[in-house]
Amino acid sequence: MPRISKAEATLAVDEPVIEGRYAELDGWTVGFETHKADLDPAPLFASLPQDRCQSPHFGLVVTGKVVYRYPDHDEVFRAGDAYHAAPGHLPLLFAGTEVIEFSPTEALERTMAVVGRNLDAAKASGAHVGS
């Protein structure tokens, strides 16, 4: 059976607002994310359908809280909560939050390709993304 620990996962993102360690297991990406600052990353999802994340996620909030915003409601998850975020959400992230998240790799990669382009464009223009 495939497995991974946070210590073994690849450090792929190390920014002032987030640290992300990721590994792929049988078509699923496991993400260990630590949020260092409050962040509203909504602008990074621009040009995706409805300007929202198109990947589903299953996760566990280890510490802190995360909010998934949908067009008609918000879902709030706190430390100890297991959750499912359906496609079509926008995350709202808070300092001190740690999550372990499982996402279908193919859907996540399609979404993150757009997020990455938007982040690069924002950095190149000197724009501040987030809070």
Side-chain angles (χ1 to χ4, degrees), residues 10 17 19 45 71 73 98:
T10 301
V17 296
E19 176 187 288
F45 294 91
H73 72 286
E98 290 186 53

Side-chain angles (χ1 to χ4, degrees), residues 44-106:
L44 300 178
F45 294 91
S47 80
L48 286 163
Q50 299 178 338
D51 295 332
R52 294 176 173 275
C53 181
Q54 299 301 301
S55 178
H57 313 287
F58 294 88
L60 173 69
V61 181
V62 178
T63 62
K65 76 173 181 179
V66 63
V67 176
Y68 286 97
R69 298 169 291 168
Y70 296 89
D72 61 345
H73 72 286
D74 293 348
E75 295 179 357
V76 180
F77 303 104
R78 291 181 170 76
D81 288 344
Y83 63 87
H84 171 246
H89 64 269
L90 285 173
L92 191 57
L93 309 166
F94 299 91
T97 297
E98 290 186 53
V99 298
I100 303 169
E101 202 163 75
F102 302 83
S103 309
T105 298
E106 187 175 306

Side-chain angles (χ1 to χ4, degrees), residues 96-120:
T97 297
E98 290 186 53
V99 298
I100 303 169
E101 202 163 75
F102 302 83
S103 309
T105 298
E106 187 175 306
L108 181 64
E109 286 177 348
R110 282 193 308 268
T111 293
M112 294 311 294
V114 173
V115 168
R117 285 193 300 272
N118 290 338
L119 182 59
D120 289 345

